[in-house]
Amino acid sequence: MAWATATPSVHDWPLPAPAGSAQPSLVVAADGDLLLAWVERREGGGHRMRFARHEAGTGWSPTRTVAEGADWFVNWADVPSLLALPDGSLWAHLLVKNGEATYAYDTRLLRSRDAGMSWTALGPVHDDGTPTEHGFASLWPQGHDRLGVAWLDGRHTGGGGHGHHGGAGAMSLRAAVLGPDGRKATEAQIDARTCDCCQTDVAVTARGPLLVYRDRSEGEVRDILATRFDGSAWSASVPVHADGWVMPACPVNGPAVAALGEQAWVAWYTAAEGRVALRLAASRDAGDSFTAPREVVLGEHLLGRVDLAADASGVWLAWMEEGADGQSLWLARFAHDLAKEHWRLRVAAVPGRGRGTGFPRLRLAAGEAWLAWTAVEGGLPSLRGARVRSP
């Protein structure tokens, strides 16, 4: 498939994270500044989550610590995140072990009201108390000063690990809203049976937050579903597209979503009918329905690991590939209706093989795309960054 020949410009974006850092989280604050968070190892053991603010014209602020501990669950696919609410508060989530099983851990929240100078630990988002998996969380601003959070919840699995075929229950999807005081105002189960370890994602439309995730049917079909929150209840989940991908295990490759008013877009990896593909679909009604998807990439070289963003200029899609010459990070921009691909480019060669390079992050600010990702050289991870300006 051909695309436009205009070439965007790529510029190095040096990041403040030290060598050994991984698992980037990248968000845009209400004032347009970028916030980058990451996880790094402590000398003597354990980990810490740190972040810095990138201000237009002045660069990086001093690095600050969100939290640290010796009992964290640290994983290439399920990663902590940072979020800035319109009221100026900062929120973060991290993963802390809650039992002996490999995948027994909590999603725990923290809040800062002083620009990250100090943090208050609010505890787990869930209250079931089971030593099971609670992760793959997505955070969003539920209005001016409230936080929304969705997560995969293993309370019914018995802690049996991914798959849960041994008579235990399935992984479920839950969501909650917390007030500015950090207290939970609402909580609901959205789906009683989901994929065990695919990332969730959320974008705020003009009609409320739109949450996307990988479902798991009784017949092991693992397609992407979407649901929207109207402030009091979640809508019935609808397929973004009926891929019909029958997969007996979790692909660890969740969807990404972006929104602009009542327009929304979802990107995802699939291997339905043996065809490895990256698909992108659009919605004109805030996620009630979706157009037939556009296939962006086809082939075994596709890793997926997508991220997505949108602005007035179009829809920006990032993904990872791995070929004989190694891994690479790609970026493309499309028209809002997805009828035209404006351009695509290989942003960077990514040192490392397999899973250690994790998932790249994409955000839009000041008319440019900003990306952060993990490189692995000699077994040591480090964060890399780039900014891309469209022609």
Side-chain angles (χ1 to χ4, degrees), residues 279-365:
R279 291 178 172 170
L280 177 62
S283 172
R284 302 181 185 92
D285 50 20
D288 285 343
S289 61
F290 290 87
T291 61
R294 178 175 185 140
E295 290 195 330
V296 179
V297 183
L298 287 171
E300 297 291 336
H301 62 287
L302 174 66
L303 289 176
R305 306 185 194 175
V306 298
D307 208 357
L308 193 62
D311 62 8
S313 74
V315 182
W316 306 63
L317 172 62
W319 70 91
M320 295 279 289
E321 298 183 5
E322 181 170 351
D325 59 346
Q327 293 188 356
S328 54
L329 173 62
W330 289 76
L331 182 68
R333 185 166 67 84
F334 302 85
H336 288 148
D337 63 2
L338 305 185
K340 180 179 180 180
E341 179 174 322
H342 297 300
W343 49 259
R344 74 170 62 184
L345 81 159
R346 177 168 149 158
V347 175
V350 180
R353 289 281 189 174
R355 295 178 166 183
T357 51
F359 287 73
R361 299 303 182 196
L362 163 68
R363 293 295 182 266
L364 305 179

Side-chain angles (χ1 to χ4, degrees), residues 144-161:
H144 181 69
D145 58 2
R146 296 195 301 163
L147 176 80
V149 55
W151 68 96
L152 298 185
D153 191 293
R155 67 183 64 190
H156 303 305
T157 66

Side-chain angles (χ1 to χ4, degrees), residues 81-83 85 91-93 107 109-110 125 137-141 147-150 200-204:
S81 70
L82 184 69
L83 182 70
L85 295 191
W91 297 70
H93 96 270
T107 290
L109 293 174
L110 304 98
V125 298
S138 293
L139 278 58
W140 68 90
L147 176 80
V149 55
T200 63
D201 198 19
V202 68
V204 179

Side-chain angles (χ1 to χ4, degrees), residues 5 13 28 264:
T5 58
W13 182 35
V28 181

